[in-house]
mmCIF file with all atom_site columns, all heavy atoms in Angstrom:
data_model
loop_
_atom_site.group_PDB
_atom_site.id
_atom_site.type_symbol
_atom_site.label_atom_id
_atom_site.label_alt_id
_atom_site.label_comp_id
_atom_site.label_asym_id
_atom_site.label_entity_id
_atom_site.label_seq_id
_atom_site.pdbx_PDB_ins_code
_atom_site.Cartn_x
_atom_site.Cartn_y
_atom_site.Cartn_z
_atom_site.occupancy
_atom_site.B_iso_or_equiv
_atom_site.pdbx_formal_charge
_atom_site.auth_seq_id
_atom_site.auth_comp_id
_atom_site.auth_asym_id
_atom_site.auth_atom_id
_atom_site.pdbx_PDB_model_num
ATOM 1   N N   . ASP A 1 150 ? 135.164 127.615 80.335 1.00 89.00 ? 150 ASP A N   1
ATOM 2   C CA  . ASP A 1 150 ? 135.775 128.178 81.530 1.00 89.00 ? 150 ASP A CA  1
ATOM 3   C C   . ASP A 1 150 ? 134.663 128.840 82.280 1.00 89.00 ? 150 ASP A C   1
ATOM 4   O O   . ASP A 1 150 ? 134.315 130.031 82.222 1.00 89.00 ? 150 ASP A O   1
ATOM 5   C CB  . ASP A 1 150 ? 136.815 129.217 81.182 1.00 89.00 ? 150 ASP A CB  1
ATOM 6   C CG  . ASP A 1 150 ? 137.595 129.763 82.403 1.00 89.00 ? 150 ASP A CG  1
ATOM 7   O OD1 . ASP A 1 150 ? 137.204 129.371 83.507 1.00 89.00 ? 150 ASP A OD1 1
ATOM 8   O OD2 . ASP A 1 150 ? 138.565 130.505 82.242 1.00 89.00 ? 150 ASP A OD2 1
ATOM 9   N N   . ALA A 1 151 ? 133.924 127.990 83.092 1.00 89.00 ? 151 ALA A N   1
ATOM 10  C CA  . ALA A 1 151 ? 132.759 128.450 83.872 1.00 89.00 ? 151 ALA A CA  1
ATOM 11  C C   . ALA A 1 151 ? 133.206 129.529 84.877 1.00 89.00 ? 151 ALA A C   1
ATOM 12  O O   . ALA A 1 151 ? 132.456 130.481 85.180 1.00 89.00 ? 151 ALA A O   1
ATOM 13  C CB  . ALA A 1 151 ? 132.062 127.328 84.462 1.00 89.00 ? 151 ALA A CB  1
ATOM 14  N N   . GLN A 1 152 ? 134.368 129.262 85.540 1.00 90.00 ? 152 GLN A N   1
ATOM 15  C CA  . GLN A 1 152 ? 134.844 130.213 86.566 1.00 90.00 ? 152 GLN A CA  1
ATOM 16  C C   . GLN A 1 152 ? 135.135 131.587 85.926 1.00 90.00 ? 152 GLN A C   1
ATOM 17  O O   . GLN A 1 152 ? 134.929 132.600 86.556 1.00 90.00 ? 152 GLN A O   1
ATOM 18  C CB  . GLN A 1 152 ? 136.028 129.653 87.262 1.00 90.00 ? 152 GLN A CB  1
ATOM 19  C CG  . GLN A 1 152 ? 135.760 128.314 88.031 1.00 90.00 ? 152 GLN A CG  1
ATOM 20  C CD  . GLN A 1 152 ? 134.684 128.499 89.064 1.00 90.00 ? 152 GLN A CD  1
ATOM 21  O OE1 . GLN A 1 152 ? 134.606 129.528 89.701 1.00 90.00 ? 152 GLN A OE1 1
ATOM 22  N NE2 . GLN A 1 152 ? 133.866 127.511 89.164 1.00 90.00 ? 152 GLN A NE2 1
ATOM 23  N N   . GLY A 1 153 ? 135.682 131.570 84.732 1.00 90.00 ? 153 GLY A N   1
ATOM 24  C CA  . GLY A 1 153 ? 135.946 132.850 84.057 1.00 90.00 ? 153 GLY A CA  1
ATOM 25  C C   . GLY A 1 153 ? 134.656 133.600 83.789 1.00 90.00 ? 153 GLY A C   1
ATOM 26  O O   . GLY A 1 153 ? 134.653 134.785 83.941 1.00 90.00 ? 153 GLY A O   1
ATOM 27  N N   . VAL A 1 154 ? 133.623 132.914 83.399 1.00 91.00 ? 154 VAL A N   1
ATOM 28  C CA  . VAL A 1 154 ? 132.288 133.540 83.208 1.00 91.00 ? 154 VAL A CA  1
ATOM 29  C C   . VAL A 1 154 ? 131.815 134.169 84.527 1.00 91.00 ? 154 VAL A C   1
ATOM 30  O O   . VAL A 1 154 ? 131.315 135.295 84.502 1.00 91.00 ? 154 VAL A O   1
ATOM 31  C CB  . VAL A 1 154 ? 131.280 132.550 82.651 1.00 91.00 ? 154 VAL A CB  1
ATOM 32  C CG1 . VAL A 1 154 ? 129.857 133.127 82.588 1.00 91.00 ? 154 VAL A CG1 1
ATOM 33  C CG2 . VAL A 1 154 ? 131.711 132.065 81.273 1.00 91.00 ? 154 VAL A CG2 1
ATOM 34  N N   . MET A 1 155 ? 131.998 133.451 85.619 1.00 92.00 ? 155 MET A N   1
ATOM 35  C CA  . MET A 1 155 ? 131.512 133.950 86.879 1.00 92.00 ? 155 MET A CA  1
ATOM 36  C C   . MET A 1 155 ? 132.313 135.210 87.308 1.00 92.00 ? 155 MET A C   1
ATOM 37  O O   . MET A 1 155 ? 131.762 136.141 87.918 1.00 92.00 ? 155 MET A O   1
ATOM 38  C CB  . MET A 1 155 ? 131.643 132.889 87.992 1.00 92.00 ? 155 MET A CB  1
ATOM 39  C CG  . MET A 1 155 ? 130.744 131.661 87.705 1.00 92.00 ? 155 MET A CG  1
ATOM 40  S SD  . MET A 1 155 ? 129.025 132.091 87.545 1.00 92.00 ? 155 MET A SD  1
ATOM 41  C CE  . MET A 1 155 ? 128.642 132.704 89.201 1.00 92.00 ? 155 MET A CE  1
ATOM 42  N N   . LEU A 1 158 ? 130.889 138.173 85.479 1.00 90.00 ? 158 LEU A N   1
ATOM 43  C CA  . LEU A 1 158 ? 129.665 138.659 86.136 1.00 90.00 ? 158 LEU A CA  1
ATOM 44  C C   . LEU A 1 158 ? 129.914 139.463 87.387 1.00 90.00 ? 158 LEU A C   1
ATOM 45  O O   . LEU A 1 158 ? 129.310 140.535 87.609 1.00 90.00 ? 158 LEU A O   1
ATOM 46  C CB  . LEU A 1 158 ? 128.785 137.349 86.545 1.00 90.00 ? 158 LEU A CB  1
ATOM 47  C CG  . LEU A 1 158 ? 127.875 136.774 85.481 1.00 90.00 ? 158 LEU A CG  1
ATOM 48  C CD1 . LEU A 1 158 ? 127.127 135.579 86.037 1.00 90.00 ? 158 LEU A CD1 1
ATOM 49  C CD2 . LEU A 1 158 ? 126.872 137.814 84.900 1.00 90.00 ? 158 LEU A CD2 1
ATOM 50  N N   . TYR A 1 173 ? 123.294 136.115 82.176 1.00 93.00 ? 173 TYR A N   1
ATOM 51  C CA  . TYR A 1 173 ? 123.081 134.993 83.156 1.00 93.00 ? 173 TYR A CA  1
ATOM 52  C C   . TYR A 1 173 ? 122.844 133.684 82.461 1.00 93.00 ? 173 TYR A C   1
ATOM 53  O O   . TYR A 1 173 ? 123.298 132.600 82.934 1.00 93.00 ? 173 TYR A O   1
ATOM 54  C CB  . TYR A 1 173 ? 121.916 135.321 84.077 1.00 93.00 ? 173 TYR A CB  1
ATOM 55  C CG  . TYR A 1 173 ? 122.252 136.373 85.105 1.00 93.00 ? 173 TYR A CG  1
ATOM 56  C CD1 . TYR A 1 173 ? 121.619 137.595 85.079 1.00 93.00 ? 173 TYR A CD1 1
ATOM 57  C CD2 . TYR A 1 173 ? 123.142 136.172 86.130 1.00 93.00 ? 173 TYR A CD2 1
ATOM 58  C CE1 . TYR A 1 173 ? 121.857 138.592 86.054 1.00 93.00 ? 173 TYR A CE1 1
ATOM 59  C CE2 . TYR A 1 173 ? 123.398 137.093 87.086 1.00 93.00 ? 173 TYR A CE2 1
ATOM 60  C CZ  . TYR A 1 173 ? 122.764 138.320 87.025 1.00 93.00 ? 173 TYR A CZ  1
ATOM 61  O OH  . TYR A 1 173 ? 123.100 139.307 87.974 1.00 93.00 ? 173 TYR A OH  1
ATOM 62  N N   . ALA A 1 176 ? 126.136 132.216 81.718 1.00 92.00 ? 176 ALA A N   1
ATOM 63  C CA  . ALA A 1 176 ? 126.724 131.641 82.902 1.00 92.00 ? 176 ALA A CA  1
ATOM 64  C C   . ALA A 1 176 ? 126.034 130.280 83.176 1.00 92.00 ? 176 ALA A C   1
ATOM 65  O O   . ALA A 1 176 ? 126.706 129.294 83.564 1.00 92.00 ? 176 ALA A O   1
ATOM 66  C CB  . ALA A 1 176 ? 126.564 132.547 84.074 1.00 92.00 ? 176 ALA A CB  1
ATOM 67  N N   . LEU A 1 177 ? 124.707 130.216 83.026 1.00 93.00 ? 177 LEU A N   1
ATOM 68  C CA  . LEU A 1 177 ? 124.037 128.907 83.230 1.00 93.00 ? 177 LEU A CA  1
ATOM 69  C C   . LEU A 1 177 ? 124.480 127.897 82.217 1.00 93.00 ? 177 LEU A C   1
ATOM 70  O O   . LEU A 1 177 ? 124.731 126.713 82.551 1.00 93.00 ? 177 LEU A O   1
ATOM 71  C CB  . LEU A 1 177 ? 122.523 129.120 83.022 1.00 93.00 ? 177 LEU A CB  1
ATOM 72  C CG  . LEU A 1 177 ? 121.791 129.916 84.100 1.00 93.00 ? 177 LEU A CG  1
ATOM 73  C CD1 . LEU A 1 177 ? 120.356 130.214 83.732 1.00 93.00 ? 177 LEU A CD1 1
ATOM 74  C CD2 . LEU A 1 177 ? 121.815 129.133 85.457 1.00 93.00 ? 177 LEU A CD2 1
ATOM 75  N N   . ARG A 1 178 ? 124.734 128.261 81.009 1.00 91.00 ? 178 ARG A N   1
ATOM 76  C CA  . ARG A 1 178 ? 125.141 127.318 79.953 1.00 91.00 ? 178 ARG A CA  1
ATOM 77  C C   . ARG A 1 178 ? 126.525 126.836 80.256 1.00 91.00 ? 178 ARG A C   1
ATOM 78  O O   . ARG A 1 178 ? 126.793 125.630 80.043 1.00 91.00 ? 178 ARG A O   1
ATOM 79  C CB  . ARG A 1 178 ? 125.086 128.018 78.606 1.00 91.00 ? 178 ARG A CB  1
ATOM 80  C CG  . ARG A 1 178 ? 125.316 127.051 77.436 1.00 91.00 ? 178 ARG A CG  1
ATOM 81  C CD  . ARG A 1 178 ? 124.784 127.642 76.111 1.00 91.00 ? 178 ARG A CD  1
ATOM 82  N NE  . ARG A 1 178 ? 125.352 128.919 75.875 1.00 91.00 ? 178 ARG A NE  1
ATOM 83  C CZ  . ARG A 1 178 ? 124.578 130.042 75.838 1.00 91.00 ? 178 ARG A CZ  1
ATOM 84  N NH1 . ARG A 1 178 ? 123.288 129.961 76.039 1.00 91.00 ? 178 ARG A NH1 1
ATOM 85  N NH2 . ARG A 1 178 ? 125.142 131.224 75.574 1.00 91.00 ? 178 ARG A NH2 1
ATOM 86  N N   . ALA A 1 179 ? 127.367 127.697 80.720 1.00 90.00 ? 179 ALA A N   1
ATOM 87  C CA  . ALA A 1 179 ? 128.730 127.326 81.105 1.00 90.00 ? 179 ALA A CA  1
ATOM 88  C C   . ALA A 1 179 ? 128.748 126.282 82.181 1.00 90.00 ? 179 ALA A C   1
ATOM 89  O O   . ALA A 1 179 ? 129.554 125.352 82.235 1.00 90.00 ? 179 ALA A O   1
ATOM 90  C CB  . ALA A 1 179 ? 129.600 128.525 81.452 1.00 90.00 ? 179 ALA A CB  1
ATOM 91  N N   . ALA A 1 180 ? 127.900 126.514 83.169 1.00 90.00 ? 180 ALA A N   1
ATOM 92  C CA  . ALA A 1 180 ? 127.836 125.475 84.251 1.00 90.00 ? 180 ALA A CA  1
ATOM 93  C C   . ALA A 1 180 ? 127.128 124.255 83.821 1.00 90.00 ? 180 ALA A C   1
ATOM 94  O O   . ALA A 1 180 ? 127.468 123.107 84.290 1.00 90.00 ? 180 ALA A O   1
ATOM 95  C CB  . ALA A 1 180 ? 127.010 126.167 85.451 1.00 90.00 ? 180 ALA A CB  1
ATOM 96  N N   . ALA A 1 181 ? 126.089 124.312 82.916 1.00 90.00 ? 181 ALA A N   1
ATOM 97  C CA  . ALA A 1 181 ? 125.357 123.105 82.448 1.00 90.00 ? 181 ALA A CA  1
ATOM 98  C C   . ALA A 1 181 ? 126.242 122.201 81.655 1.00 90.00 ? 181 ALA A C   1
ATOM 99  O O   . ALA A 1 181 ? 126.137 120.972 81.808 1.00 90.00 ? 181 ALA A O   1
ATOM 100 C CB  . ALA A 1 181 ? 124.142 123.610 81.607 1.00 90.00 ? 181 ALA A CB  1
ATOM 101 N N   . GLY A 1 183 ? 129.382 121.535 81.948 1.00 80.00 ? 183 GLY A N   1
ATOM 102 C CA  . GLY A 1 183 ? 130.220 120.774 82.852 1.00 80.00 ? 183 GLY A CA  1
ATOM 103 C C   . GLY A 1 183 ? 129.434 119.966 83.863 1.00 80.00 ? 183 GLY A C   1
ATOM 104 O O   . GLY A 1 183 ? 130.034 119.263 84.704 1.00 80.00 ? 183 GLY A O   1
ATOM 105 N N   . GLY A 1 184 ? 128.122 120.028 83.905 1.00 80.00 ? 184 GLY A N   1
ATOM 106 C CA  . GLY A 1 184 ? 127.273 119.399 84.824 1.00 80.00 ? 184 GLY A CA  1
ATOM 107 C C   . GLY A 1 184 ? 127.473 119.851 86.295 1.00 80.00 ? 184 GLY A C   1
ATOM 108 O O   . GLY A 1 184 ? 127.340 119.157 87.230 1.00 80.00 ? 184 GLY A O   1
ATOM 109 N N   . GLU A 1 185 ? 127.877 121.127 86.427 1.00 86.00 ? 185 GLU A N   1
ATOM 110 C CA  . GLU A 1 185 ? 128.143 121.758 87.734 1.00 86.00 ? 185 GLU A CA  1
ATOM 111 C C   . GLU A 1 185 ? 126.790 122.236 88.296 1.00 86.00 ? 185 GLU A C   1
ATOM 112 O O   . GLU A 1 185 ? 126.439 123.438 88.151 1.00 86.00 ? 185 GLU A O   1
ATOM 113 C CB  . GLU A 1 185 ? 129.161 122.859 87.652 1.00 86.00 ? 185 GLU A CB  1
ATOM 114 C CG  . GLU A 1 185 ? 130.514 122.375 87.075 1.00 86.00 ? 185 GLU A CG  1
ATOM 115 C CD  . GLU A 1 185 ? 131.525 123.469 87.017 1.00 86.00 ? 185 GLU A CD  1
ATOM 116 O OE1 . GLU A 1 185 ? 131.432 124.393 87.875 1.00 86.00 ? 185 GLU A OE1 1
ATOM 117 O OE2 . GLU A 1 185 ? 132.411 123.451 86.138 1.00 86.00 ? 185 GLU A OE2 1
ATOM 118 N N   . THR A 1 186 ? 126.098 121.360 89.016 1.00 84.00 ? 186 THR A N   1
ATOM 119 C CA  . THR A 1 186 ? 124.823 121.733 89.482 1.00 84.00 ? 186 THR A CA  1
ATOM 120 C C   . THR A 1 186 ? 124.872 122.755 90.612 1.00 84.00 ? 186 THR A C   1
ATOM 121 O O   . THR A 1 186 ? 123.933 123.531 90.747 1.00 84.00 ? 186 THR A O   1
ATOM 122 C CB  . THR A 1 186 ? 124.058 120.456 90.011 1.00 84.00 ? 186 THR A CB  1
ATOM 123 O OG1 . THR A 1 186 ? 124.939 119.781 90.960 1.00 84.00 ? 186 THR A OG1 1
ATOM 124 C CG2 . THR A 1 186 ? 123.732 119.522 88.839 1.00 84.00 ? 186 THR A CG2 1
ATOM 125 N N   . LEU A 1 187 ? 125.927 122.760 91.394 1.00 89.00 ? 187 LEU A N   1
ATOM 126 C CA  . LEU A 1 187 ? 126.033 123.774 92.513 1.00 89.00 ? 187 LEU A CA  1
ATOM 127 C C   . LEU A 1 187 ? 126.227 125.162 91.859 1.00 89.00 ? 187 LEU A C   1
ATOM 128 O O   . LEU A 1 187 ? 125.597 126.092 92.375 1.00 89.00 ? 187 LEU A O   1
ATOM 129 C CB  . LEU A 1 187 ? 127.244 123.465 93.387 1.00 89.00 ? 187 LEU A CB  1
ATOM 130 C CG  . LEU A 1 187 ? 127.090 122.187 94.201 1.00 89.00 ? 187 LEU A CG  1
ATOM 131 C CD1 . LEU A 1 187 ? 128.395 121.950 95.088 1.00 89.00 ? 187 LEU A CD1 1
ATOM 132 C CD2 . LEU A 1 187 ? 125.837 122.335 95.148 1.00 89.00 ? 187 LEU A CD2 1
ATOM 133 N N   . LEU A 1 188 ? 126.942 125.266 90.802 1.00 90.00 ? 188 LEU A N   1
ATOM 134 C CA  . LEU A 1 188 ? 127.139 126.524 90.096 1.00 90.00 ? 188 LEU A CA  1
ATOM 135 C C   . LEU A 1 188 ? 125.815 126.958 89.438 1.00 90.00 ? 188 LEU A C   1
ATOM 136 O O   . LEU A 1 188 ? 125.466 128.184 89.374 1.00 90.00 ? 188 LEU A O   1
ATOM 137 C CB  . LEU A 1 188 ? 128.231 126.416 89.053 1.00 90.00 ? 188 LEU A CB  1
ATOM 138 C CG  . LEU A 1 188 ? 128.743 127.731 88.429 1.00 90.00 ? 188 LEU A CG  1
ATOM 139 C CD1 . LEU A 1 188 ? 129.243 128.635 89.542 1.00 90.00 ? 188 LEU A CD1 1
ATOM 140 C CD2 . LEU A 1 188 ? 129.857 127.458 87.443 1.00 90.00 ? 188 LEU A CD2 1
ATOM 141 N N   . LEU A 1 189 ? 125.068 125.978 88.935 1.00 90.00 ? 189 LEU A N   1
ATOM 142 C CA  . LEU A 1 189 ? 123.774 126.327 88.348 1.00 90.00 ? 189 LEU A CA  1
ATOM 143 C C   . LEU A 1 189 ? 122.835 126.956 89.411 1.00 90.00 ? 189 LEU A C   1
ATOM 144 O O   . LEU A 1 189 ? 122.173 127.961 89.175 1.00 90.00 ? 189 LEU A O   1
ATOM 145 C CB  . LEU A 1 189 ? 123.101 125.062 87.806 1.00 90.00 ? 189 LEU A CB  1
ATOM 146 C CG  . LEU A 1 189 ? 123.465 124.557 86.407 1.00 90.00 ? 189 LEU A CG  1
ATOM 147 C CD1 . LEU A 1 189 ? 122.856 123.225 86.170 1.00 90.00 ? 189 LEU A CD1 1
ATOM 148 C CD2 . LEU A 1 189 ? 123.041 125.546 85.388 1.00 90.00 ? 189 LEU A CD2 1
ATOM 149 N N   . GLN A 1 190 ? 122.853 126.369 90.583 1.00 90.00 ? 190 GLN A N   1
ATOM 150 C CA  . GLN A 1 190 ? 122.062 126.912 91.664 1.00 90.00 ? 190 GLN A CA  1
ATOM 151 C C   . GLN A 1 190 ? 122.552 128.314 92.058 1.00 90.00 ? 190 GLN A C   1
ATOM 152 O O   . GLN A 1 190 ? 121.673 129.161 92.339 1.00 90.00 ? 190 GLN A O   1
ATOM 153 C CB  . GLN A 1 190 ? 122.108 126.011 92.902 1.00 90.00 ? 190 GLN A CB  1
ATOM 154 C CG  . GLN A 1 190 ? 121.167 126.341 94.052 1.00 90.00 ? 190 GLN A CG  1
ATOM 155 C CD  . GLN A 1 190 ? 121.241 125.326 95.162 1.00 90.00 ? 190 GLN A CD  1
ATOM 156 O OE1 . GLN A 1 190 ? 121.966 124.303 95.065 1.00 90.00 ? 190 GLN A OE1 1
ATOM 157 N NE2 . GLN A 1 190 ? 120.518 125.607 96.189 1.00 90.00 ? 190 GLN A NE2 1
ATOM 158 N N   . LYS A 1 191 ? 123.836 128.531 92.105 1.00 92.00 ? 191 LYS A N   1
ATOM 159 C CA  . LYS A 1 191 ? 124.340 129.785 92.443 1.00 92.00 ? 191 LYS A CA  1
ATOM 160 C C   . LYS A 1 191 ? 123.946 130.867 91.457 1.00 92.00 ? 191 LYS A C   1
ATOM 161 O O   . LYS A 1 191 ? 123.519 132.025 91.856 1.00 92.00 ? 191 LYS A O   1
ATOM 162 C CB  . LYS A 1 191 ? 125.855 129.768 92.566 1.00 92.00 ? 191 LYS A CB  1
ATOM 163 C CG  . LYS A 1 191 ? 126.535 131.092 92.883 1.00 92.00 ? 191 LYS A CG  1
ATOM 164 C CD  . LYS A 1 191 ? 128.026 130.941 93.015 1.00 92.00 ? 191 LYS A CD  1
ATOM 165 C CE  . LYS A 1 191 ? 128.692 132.297 93.327 1.00 92.00 ? 191 LYS A CE  1
ATOM 166 N NZ  . LYS A 1 191 ? 130.138 132.187 93.399 1.00 92.00 ? 191 LYS A NZ  1
ATOM 167 N N   . VAL A 1 192 ? 123.957 130.571 90.148 1.00 92.00 ? 192 VAL A N   1
ATOM 168 C CA  . VAL A 1 192 ? 123.576 131.551 89.110 1.00 92.00 ? 192 VAL A CA  1
ATOM 169 C C   . VAL A 1 192 ? 122.085 131.881 89.215 1.00 92.00 ? 192 VAL A C   1
ATOM 170 O O   . VAL A 1 192 ? 121.678 133.009 89.053 1.00 92.00 ? 192 VAL A O   1
ATOM 171 C CB  . VAL A 1 192 ? 123.919 131.006 87.726 1.00 92.00 ? 192 VAL A CB  1
ATOM 172 C CG1 . VAL A 1 192 ? 123.433 131.991 86.679 1.00 92.00 ? 192 VAL A CG1 1
ATOM 173 C CG2 . VAL A 1 192 ? 125.405 130.824 87.557 1.00 92.00 ? 192 VAL A CG2 1
ATOM 174 N N   . GLN A 1 193 ? 121.238 130.874 89.544 1.00 91.00 ? 193 GLN A N   1
ATOM 175 C CA  . GLN A 1 193 ? 119.840 131.080 89.705 1.00 91.00 ? 193 GLN A CA  1
ATOM 176 C C   . GLN A 1 193 ? 119.606 131.981 90.866 1.00 91.00 ? 193 GLN A C   1
ATOM 177 O O   . GLN A 1 193 ? 118.709 132.893 90.847 1.00 91.00 ? 193 GLN A O   1
ATOM 178 C CB  . GLN A 1 193 ? 119.131 129.778 89.943 1.00 91.00 ? 193 GLN A CB  1
ATOM 179 C CG  . GLN A 1 193 ? 119.134 128.844 88.737 1.00 91.00 ? 193 GLN A CG  1
ATOM 180 C CD  . GLN A 1 193 ? 118.452 127.521 88.968 1.00 91.00 ? 193 GLN A CD  1
ATOM 181 O OE1 . GLN A 1 193 ? 117.227 127.486 89.123 1.00 91.00 ? 193 GLN A OE1 1
ATOM 182 N NE2 . GLN A 1 193 ? 119.192 126.429 89.060 1.00 91.00 ? 193 GLN A NE2 1
ATOM 183 N N   . GLU A 1 194 ? 120.392 131.866 91.935 1.00 92.00 ? 194 GLU A N   1
ATOM 184 C CA  . GLU A 1 194 ? 120.234 132.816 93.130 1.00 92.00 ? 194 GLU A CA  1
ATOM 185 C C   . GLU A 1 194 ? 120.632 134.190 92.666 1.00 92.00 ? 194 GLU A C   1
ATOM 186 O O   . GLU A 1 194 ? 119.990 135.142 93.116 1.00 92.00 ? 194 GLU A O   1
ATOM 187 C CB  . GLU A 1 194 ? 121.102 132.291 94.240 1.00 92.00 ? 194 GLU A CB  1
ATOM 188 C CG  . GLU A 1 194 ? 120.606 131.013 94.859 1.00 92.00 ? 194 GLU A CG  1
ATOM 189 C CD  . GLU A 1 194 ? 121.530 130.450 95.867 1.00 92.00 ? 194 GLU A CD  1
ATOM 190 O OE1 . GLU A 1 194 ? 122.672 131.079 96.084 1.00 92.00 ? 194 GLU A OE1 1
ATOM 191 O OE2 . GLU A 1 194 ? 121.240 129.433 96.556 1.00 92.00 ? 194 GLU A OE2 1
ATOM 192 N N   . LEU A 1 195 ? 121.663 134.301 91.865 1.00 92.00 ? 195 LEU A N   1
ATOM 193 C CA  . LEU A 1 195 ? 122.090 135.660 91.387 1.00 92.00 ? 195 LEU A CA  1
ATOM 194 C C   . LEU A 1 195 ? 121.002 136.325 90.593 1.00 92.00 ? 195 LEU A C   1
ATOM 195 O O   . LEU A 1 195 ? 120.790 137.528 90.648 1.00 92.00 ? 195 LEU A O   1
ATOM 196 C CB  . LEU A 1 195 ? 123.424 135.571 90.556 1.00 92.00 ? 195 LEU A CB  1
ATOM 197 C CG  . LEU A 1 195 ? 124.635 135.197 91.384 1.00 92.00 ? 195 LEU A CG  1
ATOM 198 C CD1 . LEU A 1 195 ? 125.854 134.974 90.394 1.00 92.00 ? 195 LEU A CD1 1
ATOM 199 C CD2 . LEU A 1 195 ? 124.954 136.253 92.378 1.00 92.00 ? 195 LEU A CD2 1
#
Side-chain angles (χ1 to χ4, degrees):
D150 188 354
Q152 298 302 323
V154 173
M155 297 303 295
L158 277 179
Y173 285 112
L177 288 172
R178 188 162 53 246
E185 301 182 28
T186 53
L187 293 179
L188 192 56
L189 278 173
Q190 185 177 359
K191 180 179 180 180
V192 176
Q193 293 179 71
E194 293 174 355
L195 291 177

